[in-house]
């Protein structure tokens, strides 16, 4: 019998309506459009406005788009894995809340926390349940309301992040399509450079942590940049080499959208022309777990059955990795 691979068979996405432009950021802090575009490639990002709305609301919208397009009953979904750095609450899992909001009453689910590599790690995890025959329909969601942990007085981080959610459906394939190889890495010693200082068990929320603004993203941009450039490029080159892929064989690189300069360095290391590299950081900024599926969602009409695709990410933790997959369908 042919080996079972986990194939992406549908994608969905959601971005909030509100557009936070560089021009608006200029009115909020000491920054400018020229600096932001040159250093990051970002022109604007989306922000989820509205009392009581969180990552699950965006995740649920993305899932509804996917299910409607494939005409799938929510009750057919067996497992939901949500990658998020901004869960609705510490518990229960945002995946469970999305299941409730969409009516996926037969699914079980849980969240994965791996910062900006979360979607890649979730996809790797989810693929195991397809490959071992346990499940036939698994949803992997990346959803982040980054604006909920951004300090809009900190120009070094506020300009980077945005809100969005996107998702993919995994189904079994025995014709050689789907996820063919994965590389996943972590290095916990990098945690000091990018993290949220308070709100966990080490430093629970208190008046003091709030006054010290310790519930926001803390990032030392330069060291993170250096690690990201090296490691994202390294794993992308490694996955090409061990699968005997040349740049001609690859149809698309789908990189995590953290900084256009990191993306360009990865593409160059893979020897790929710019037109094979998905970039939408200009419109959405860094949406953490949503960047990679949001690219797939936006590019879906241009993807063809049999396309060799490399996904690559680097994030806080540190976490990083790459996935090689063969696209399983033509969008009609
Ligand atoms: O997705 C998860 C992983 N995260 C990443 O991959 C992010 C990696 N890091 C980066 O993308 C970049 O380090 C940043 C975009 C965060 C910062 O860019 P940079 O080129 O590393 O800038 P920098 O921190 O070295 O700052 C250069 C200068 C500084 O001024 P001085 O000391 O040279 O006078 C900053 O104060 O730019 C200043 N600066 C700004 N100026 C205008 C920092 N932020 C801003 C700003 N507007 N928003």
């Amino acid at each position: 019998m042919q080996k079972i691979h986990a194939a992406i068979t549908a994608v969905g996405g959601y971005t909030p309506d509100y557009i936070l432009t560089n021009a608006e950021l200029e009115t909020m802090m000491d920054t400018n459009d020229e600096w932001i575009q040159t250093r990051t490639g970002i022109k604007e990002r989306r922000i989820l406005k509205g009392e009581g709305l969180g990552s699950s609301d965006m995740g649920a919208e993305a899932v509804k788009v996917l299910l409607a397009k494939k005409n799938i009953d929510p009750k057919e979904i067996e497992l939901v894995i949500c990658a998020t750095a901004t869960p609705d609450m510490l518990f229960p899992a945002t995946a469970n809340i999305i299941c409730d909001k969409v009516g996926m009453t037969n699914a079980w689910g849980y969240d994965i926390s791996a910062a900006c590599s979360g979607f890649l790690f979730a996809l790797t995890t989810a693929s195991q349940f397809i490959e071992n025959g346990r499940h036939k329909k698994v949803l992997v969601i990346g959803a982040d309301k980054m604006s909920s942990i951004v300090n809009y007085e900190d120009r070094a981080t506020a300009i980077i992040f945005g809100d969005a959610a996107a998702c993919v459906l995994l189904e079994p394939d025995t014709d050689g399509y789907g996820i063919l190889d994965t590389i996943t890495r972590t290095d916990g010693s990098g945690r000091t450079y990018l993290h949220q200082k308070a709100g966990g068990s080490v430093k629970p929320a208190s008046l003091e942590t709030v006054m010290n603004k310790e519930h926001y993203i803390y990032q030392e941009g330069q060291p993170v940049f250096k690690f990201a450039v090296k490691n994202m490029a390294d794993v992308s080159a490694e996955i090409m080499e061990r699968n005997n892929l040349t740049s001609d064989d690859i149809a698309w690189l789908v990189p995590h959208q953290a900084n256009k300069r990191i993306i360009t360095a990865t593409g160059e290391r893979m020897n790929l022309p710019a037109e094979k590299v998905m970039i939408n950081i200009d419109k959405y900024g860094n949406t953490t777990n949503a960047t990679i599926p949001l690219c797939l969602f936006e590019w879906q009409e241009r993807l063809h059955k049999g396309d060799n695709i490399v996904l690559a990410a680097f994030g806080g933790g540190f976490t990083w990795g790459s996935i090689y997959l063969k696209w399983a369908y033509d969008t009609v």
Side-chain angles (χ1 to χ4, degrees):
M1 201 186 107
Q2 269 265 22
K3 184 175 174 353
I4 301 171
H5 291 118
I8 295 176
T9 55
V11 291
Y14 173 82
T15 54
D17 292 334
Y18 189 86
I19 299 174
L20 176 57
T21 61
N22 290 349
E24 187 178 350
L25 283 171
E26 284 177 14
T27 68
M28 298 159 66
M29 62 195 72
D30 181 17
T31 190
N32 60 79
D33 177 55
E34 202 265 328
W35 190 96
I36 300 172
Q37 286 209 45
T38 318
R39 299 290 179 123
T40 69
I42 302 168
K43 293 182 181 159
E44 58 191 42
R45 62 292 289 142
R46 300 298 178 100
I47 303 294
L48 182 66
K49 300 269 186 183
E51 198 64 32
L53 296 178
S55 297
S56 74
D57 296 285
M58 295 187 292
E61 290 308 314
V63 170
K64 283 180 199 164
V65 168
L66 183 152
L67 296 179
K69 203 156 94 210
K70 281 278 276 187
N71 204 14
I72 294 174
D73 186 327
K75 293 187 174 57
E76 290 177 49
I77 303 299
E78 295 158 82
L79 167 63
V80 174
I81 303 181
C82 181
T84 182
T86 51
D88 280 17
M89 47 193 79
L90 272 179
F91 68 90
T94 301
N96 299 16
I97 301 171
I98 294 173
C99 286
D100 181 48
K101 287 180 174 167
V102 178
M104 297 186 284
T105 48
N106 290 321
W108 65 292
Y110 56 94
D111 291 355
I112 279 188
S113 165
C116 293
S117 307
F119 182 79
L120 213 135
F121 284 18
L123 203 54
T124 301
T125 308
S127 68
Q128 312 300 307
F129 290 97
I130 298 282
E131 287 172 11
N132 68 19
R134 170 87 187 264
H135 291 309
K136 300 260 182 312
K137 281 189 169 51
V138 178
L139 271 181
V140 184
I141 305 165
D144 270 304
K145 184 185 170 186
M146 295 307 291
S147 61
S148 65
I149 55 167
V150 164
N151 176 1
Y152 286 98
E153 290 172 353
D154 174 14
R155 67 178 184 169
T157 52
I159 54 125
I160 299 172
F161 294 99
D163 303 339
C167 57
V168 302
L169 177 67
L170 289 182
E171 292 184 277
D173 180 283
T174 50
D175 295 323
Y177 300 98
I179 294 171
L180 302 180
D181 196 11
T182 63
I183 299 176
T184 42
R185 302 257 157 79
T186 59
D187 176 359
S189 68
R191 67 189 179 280
T192 53
Y193 301 112
L194 177 52
H195 59 269
Q196 195 176 348
K197 291 192 181 299
S201 56
V202 167
K203 205 183 240 196
S206 68
L207 194 54
E208 195 190 347
T209 62
V210 173
M211 296 304 283
N212 291 340
K213 302 184 192 310
E214 290 178 317
H215 296 273
Y216 292 125
I217 299 162
Y218 172 85
Q219 175 169 263
E220 293 175 35
Q222 276 191 9
V224 177
F225 185 90
K226 279 187 202 140
F227 277 96
V229 165
K230 180 175 186 326
N231 288 310
M232 209 162 113
D234 278 357
V235 283
S236 305
E238 187 182 339
I239 210 155
M240 281 175 76
E241 273 160 23
R242 72 187 201 187
N243 290 283
N244 298 315
L245 295 166
T246 68
S247 53
D248 289 341
D249 299 323
I250 292 174
W252 295 102
L253 166 66
V254 192
H256 169 54
Q257 312 278 309
N259 186 316
K260 196 171 174 195
R261 290 182 289 146
I262 300 173
I263 296 171
T264 305
T266 304
E268 282 172 2
R269 176 77 181 280
M270 295 168 77
N271 208 16
L272 289 180
E275 57 272 18
K276 287 186 174 185
V277 181
M278 294 187 192
I279 301 185
N280 60 10
I281 191 170
D282 50 323
K283 291 193 292 180
Y284 304 116
N286 182 349
T287 57
T288 304
N289 285 284
T291 58
I292 288 176
L294 193 59
C295 280
L296 294 174
F297 179 63
E298 286 214 310
W299 264 263
Q300 59 183 321
E301 250 96 75
R302 294 161 67 186
L303 304 180
H304 300 293
K305 190 168 181 176
D307 278 355
N308 289 314
I309 298 181
V310 172
L311 317 180
F314 183 88
F318 290 131
T319 55
W320 68 103
S322 62
I323 289 181
Y324 162 45
L325 60 87
K326 216 176 249 302
W327 197 249
Y329 65 99
D330 288 309
T331 304
V332 280

